[in-house]
Amino acid sequence: MDEFELIRRLTRHLPSRPEVVVGPGDDCAVLRLSEPGQDLLFKTDAVVEGVHFRRSDRAEQVGHKALARVLSDVAAMAGQPLAALVTLGLPEDFDPTYVDGLYAGLNALAQRFNVAVVGGETTRVPGRIILSISLLGTVARDRAVRRVGSKPGDALFVTGELGGSLEGHHLEFEPRLHEARWLADHFQIHAMIDLSDGLAGDLRHLLAPDGLGAELLASAIPISVPARRRAQASTAARPALVAALADGEDFELLFTVASNQAVPLLDAWKKQFHPLRLTCIGKITSEPGVSLRDKTGVRPLHAHGYSHFAEPERN
Amino acid sequence: MDEFELIRRLTRHLPSRPEVVVGPGDDCAVLRLSEPGQDLLFKTDAVVEGVHFRRSDRAEQVGHKALARVLSDVAAMAGQPLAALVTLGLPEDFDPTYVDGLYAGLNALAQRFNVAVVGGETTRVPGRIILSISLLGTVARDRAVRRVGSKPGDALFVTGELGGSLEGHHLEFEPRLHEARWLADHFQIHAMIDLSDGLAGDLRHLLAPDGLGAELLASAIPISVPARRRAQASTAARPALVAALADGEDFELLFTVASNQAVPLLDAWKKQFHPLRLTCIGKITSEPGVSLRDKTGVRPLHAHGYSHFAEPERN
C-alpha cells in the first residue's frame, strides 16, 4: 500500500448526511437542501504548518482546528454547517500516520456537528503540510447575523474567556454553533463576529461597517486562566488584560444587542449554557474609535490591544 | 500602501451576481438561489507553484488556470457555476504585481462565465504561491451527469484534441461549460468526466463505477498539434499517440451515449460548435479493462498510456 493508497482508504469512510446526493469520487459533490427557502453560507479557511500549527502538534488537534475555524465562521452568522471539502497539501516525505490523525480529528468534529465531508483533494506541496477546508452551511432566509447592524447604545457581549489561546486552546476550541443559534433564536442579535485576530482588532470589524465606536470596561474583560498564568509567571510577559484584548485565536463570539436586552439575555444564558461565561464588556458609541475605561479614566485602545495605561498594569 | 493593503484593494471589486446576498467582508458569504429545486455542486481545487505552474508563467494565466480547473469539474457534471472563494497562500517576499495579475486572470474568466467571487482569504505560505479555489454551482434536480451510468455498447466521445497541454494549453484552456450543458440538454449523456490526468487514466474513472471496460480506436484519437509537433521534433519524445493518451491537463470532456445517438450527436454538434472537434474514439465493453485497436490488432492499454504496440509507432 503506497501513501496515496492510504489517503484513498482514509477518505473512503467520511461523515455523511441525507442531503448528500453524490459524495467523494465524482467530479463534484452534489447536495440537495432538505428545506426550501434557506440561504447558503460559503466559507473557506486554511491552516499552514509553521504558521498556524507546528509539526510537533498532535495531528488530531490540527485536523480539529482546521474544521473548527470554518465552523466558527458559520456560528458567527448564526448558521448551521452542512458539508465540507478538504484540500490537503503534503510534502513528498509526509508521514501517513500523521495524515491518518488529521482526518481522525477532522471527522470526529464533523460527526459531532453533523457536517458531511463530501470530498477531498490531495496535492503535493514541497516542505510543509497545508490543510484547507471549504464549508457550505445554511441559515433561514434573511436570518444570517452579519457584522453590520449595531446601534449606538447597544450592549457588547463576548462568550467564554479571552487570551492565551496559543497555550493550547487554539488546537481544541469548540466552535460556538449551538450558542450562536440559540442567541439568534431567542434574542435580536444586531451584529456578530467570531474572534480570530483578537478582541481589540476584531471589534473594529464589527464597528467599521456602521461607522460606530465602542467603550470597553477593563474590569469586565473575561481573562482566561492561561493568560493570567502566563502574566504571573514572568514580568516580561504581557499583562493579562493586554493578552485578553490582543491575543488571537480565541474563537469566541462577540455580538451586540439592545441594552434593554442585556439582563434578560444574561439570565437566560446562565440557565442554558452555564458554566460557559457570557460577559457584557462594554457598549457601542456613535463616536468612532475604541476606548477602554478603568478606574483611572477613559483612554483610546489601539488595534493591537495596547493603550497608554494598560502597559503598567501588570498582574 | 503595504502589500496586504494592496490585496484588500484588489479584492474590493470582484465579479458579483444577483444571488449574492453578502459578498466579501463578513464571516461567510451568503447566497440565495434564484430558482427552487436545484441541486448544489461543490468542488475545490488548488494550484501550487513548482507543481502546477512556474513563477515564470504569466500571473494572469495562472489565475485563469486555477479557476478554469474547477469550472471544468462543474462542466463535467453538466452544471453551471455560481460563486467562488479564493484562498491565496503567499510567501513573505511576494510581488504585489504578480498577485494583481492572478486576480486579473481569475476575474476575467469569472466574469465571462458569470461566476461571483464572494470572498478571499490570504495566508502566509513560506516559499511558494498557492491558489486554491472553492466553487459552488447548481444543476437542475437529478440532472447532474455523473461518472457512473455507462452501458456496454455505448459510444465514447471526447471533445477537442489531446496531448501536449504543458506546451501552453494548460494555462489558457476553456472550461467546456457551454458544451456540457448543451450536451445534457439535447442528448441523454450516460456518464461524463473532464480529462485532467490523461485519457488513459481518467477513462478508468468513468468505467470503474460500473465495472465496465472500453475499446479505443487508435486512428480516431484526436491528437493536438503541440503533441504532434513535439513528437516530430525529437525521436526521444514520446510518440504523439502516446502523448494524446497519457498527457495530463487536457480539460476536455469524455462522455458516453447510446451508440444509436452517435451520428445525430455528431451532426448536431458540428452545427453548434464547429470548429471545436467532437470525436467518437471507441466503445464501452462489458469486459473490464481498456484496450487499443489499430491495424495490427487489439492490445491492452495501461493507465499511463503505453501499450505494447504504441511504443514503436512514432510519427
Side-chain angles (χ1 to χ4, degrees), chain A residues 14 25 43 67 103-104 146 149 154 163 183 187 226 250 252 261 263 275 281 315:
Chain A
L14 295 169
K43 177 70 183 185
L67 180 59
Y103 266 95
R146 300 197 48 191
D154 278 359
L183 284 168
F187 292 87
D250 289 317
E252 297 291 351
Q261 295 292 294
V263 173
I281 58 171
N315 63 347

Side-chain angles (χ1 to χ4, degrees), chain B residues 3 5 26 32 48 58 71-72 76 114-115 124 132 157 209 219 222 233 254 279 286 306 308:
Chain B
E3 293 162 341
E5 195 54 44
D26 215 306
R32 181 171 303 157
V48 178
R58 274 186 54 223
L71 294 182
S72 184
N114 195 17
V115 182
R124 190 160 65 82
S132 175
F157 280 89
S219 61
L254 179 72
T279 314
S286 55
Y306 289 86
H308 285 294

Side-chain angles (χ1 to χ4, degrees), chain A residues 14-270:
Chain A
L14 295 169
S16 191
R17 354 189 327 171
E19 290 86 349
V20 179
V21 179
V22 177
D26 215 305
D27 296 299
C28 300
V30 183
L31 297 154
R32 183 171 302 158
L33 298 185
S34 52
E35 293 171 48
Q38 291 181 299
D39 285 343
L40 298 170
L41 302 176
F42 192 23
K43 177 70 183 185
T44 187
D45 193 53
V47 294
V48 178
E49 180 186 339
V51 180
H52 304 93
F53 69 95
R54 292 177 295 246
R55 187 75 66 104
S56 58
D57 290 329
R58 275 186 53 224
E60 288 79 2
Q61 292 194 310
V62 174
H64 171 99
K65 174 176 182 170
L67 180 59
R69 283 169 60 104
V70 282
L71 293 181
S72 183
D73 282 308
V74 168
M77 309 289 286
Q80 45 196 329
L82 173 61
L85 292 170
V86 179
T87 301
L88 184 56
L90 292 174
E92 276 178 48
D93 63 338
F94 75 92
D95 171 9
T97 315
Y98 198 88
V99 176
D100 200 347
L102 289 176
Y103 266 95
L106 196 152
N107 287 344
L109 184 63
Q111 245 144 8
R112 216 141 46 72
F113 283 102
N114 195 18
V115 183
V117 181
V118 293
E121 191 219 355
T122 304
T123 187
R124 189 159 67 80
V125 177
R128 65 191 64 239
I129 296 173
I130 295 177
L131 187 52
S132 175
I133 311 287
S134 293
L135 198 84
L136 195 59
T138 58
V139 65
R141 189 178 166 127
D142 281 323
R143 295 302 299 270
V145 178
R146 300 197 48 191
R147 294 181 178 179
V148 67
S150 297
K151 292 177 179 59
D154 278 359
L156 182 67
F157 280 90
V158 72
T159 61
E161 299 177 339
L162 308 182
S165 178
L166 293 181
E167 308 280 316
H169 180 71
H170 76 112
L171 289 170
E172 56 193 32
F173 69 90
E174 282 289 300
R176 302 299 187 198
L177 283 160
H178 301 313
E179 295 82 357
R181 288 189 61 204
W182 177 89
L183 284 168
D185 283 350
H186 294 84
F187 292 87
Q188 178 134 15
I189 308 301
H190 288 174
M192 187 154 59
I193 189 173
D194 69 315
L195 295 178
S196 55
D197 295 332
L199 172 60
D202 286 333
L203 173 54
R204 282 155 223 271
H205 297 304
L206 204 66
L207 303 171
D210 294 304
L212 298 173
E215 185 182 302
L216 300 181
L217 194 62
S219 61
I221 307 293
I223 302 172
S224 75
V225 172
R228 285 190 194 283
R229 199 182 290 140
R230 204 177 45 184
Q232 283 160 359
S234 157
T235 53
R238 48 173 33 172
L241 176 62
V242 176
L245 289 167
D247 283 358
E249 310 228 11
D250 289 317
F251 298 106
E252 297 291 351
L253 298 171
L254 179 72
F255 62 91
T256 57
V257 293
S259 59
N260 63 8
Q261 295 292 294
V263 173
L265 168 56
L266 282 166
D267 286 347
W269 175 278
K270 206 170 279 180

Side-chain angles (χ1 to χ4, degrees), chain B:
Chain B
M1 179 170 64
D2 75 2
E3 293 162 341
F4 280 90
E5 195 54 44
L6 173 76
I7 293 170
R8 244 170 269 135
R9 186 174 64 86
L10 289 173
T11 56
R12 207 171 288 158
H13 301 290
L14 296 169
S16 191
R17 345 187 337 165
E19 290 87 347
V20 180
V21 179
V22 178
D26 215 306
D27 296 298
C28 300
V30 183
L31 297 155
R32 181 171 303 157
L33 298 185
S34 52
E35 292 171 47
Q38 291 181 299
D39 285 343
L40 298 171
L41 302 177
F42 192 24
K43 176 69 183 186
T44 187
D45 193 52
V47 294
V48 178
E49 180 186 339
V51 179
H52 304 93
F53 69 94
R54 293 178 294 246
R55 188 75 66 104
S56 57
D57 290 329
R58 274 186 54 223
E60 289 79 0
Q61 292 193 311
V62 173
H64 171 99
K65 175 176 181 170
L67 179 59
R69 283 168 62 104
V70 282
L71 294 182
S72 184
D73 283 308
V74 168
M77 309 289 285
Q80 46 197 327
L82 173 61
L85 292 170
V86 179
T87 302
L88 184 56
L90 292 174
E92 278 179 47
D93 63 338
F94 75 92
D95 172 9
T97 315
Y98 198 87
V99 176
D100 200 346
L102 290 175
Y103 266 95
L106 196 152
N107 287 345
L109 184 64
Q111 245 145 6
R112 214 139 48 72
F113 283 103
N114 195 17
V115 182
V117 181
V118 293
E121 191 220 354
T122 304
T123 186
R124 190 160 65 82
V125 177
R128 66 190 64 240
I129 295 172
I130 296 178
L131 187 51
S132 175
I133 311 287
S134 292
L135 198 85
L136 194 59
T138 58
V139 64
R141 191 178 166 126
D142 281 323
R143 296 301 298 271
V145 178
R146 301 198 46 191
R147 294 181 178 180
V148 67
S150 298
K151 292 178 178 59
D154 278 358
L156 182 67
F157 280 89
V158 72
T159 61
E161 298 177 339
L162 308 181
S165 178
L166 293 182
E167 308 279 316
H169 180 71
H170 76 113
L171 288 171
E172 56 191 31
F173 69 90
E174 282 289 300
R176 302 298 187 198
L177 283 161
H178 301 312
E179 294 83 356
R181 289 189 61 203
W182 178 88
L183 284 167
D185 283 350
H186 294 84
F187 291 88
Q188 177 132 19
I189 308 301
H190 288 173
M192 187 154 61
I193 189 173
D194 70 314
L195 295 178
S196 54
D197 294 332
L199 172 61
D202 286 333
L203 173 54
R204 282 154 223 273
H205 297 305
L206 203 67
L207 302 170
D210 294 304
L212 298 173
E215 186 183 303
L216 300 180
L217 194 63
S219 61
I221 308 294
I223 303 172
S224 75
V225 171
R228 284 190 193 282
R229 199 182 290 142
R230 203 177 45 185
Q232 283 161 358
S234 158
T235 53
R238 49 175 31 173
L241 176 63
V242 176
L245 289 167
D247 283 358
E249 311 228 12
D250 289 318
F251 297 106
E252 296 292 350
L253 298 171
L254 179 72
F255 62 91
T256 57
V257 292
S259 59
N260 64 9
Q261 295 292 295
V263 173
L265 168 56
L266 282 166
D267 286 346
W269 175 278
K270 204 169 282 181
K271 284 184 196 122
Q272 193 71 21
F273 295 113
H274 178 82
L276 180 64
R277 286 173 72 175
L278 177 70
T279 314
C280 180
I281 58 171
K283 64 179 182 193
I284 302 300
T285 61
S286 55
E287 191 74 15
V290 178
S291 59
L292 187 68
R293 174 186 289 273
D294 78 353
K295 55 198 174 207
T296 71
V298 182
R299 309 268 179 98
L301 179 73
H302 303 300
H304 49 63
Y306 289 86
S307 71
H308 285 294
F309 62 105
E311 276 302 339
E313 191 194 71
R314 298 189 181 274
N315 62 348

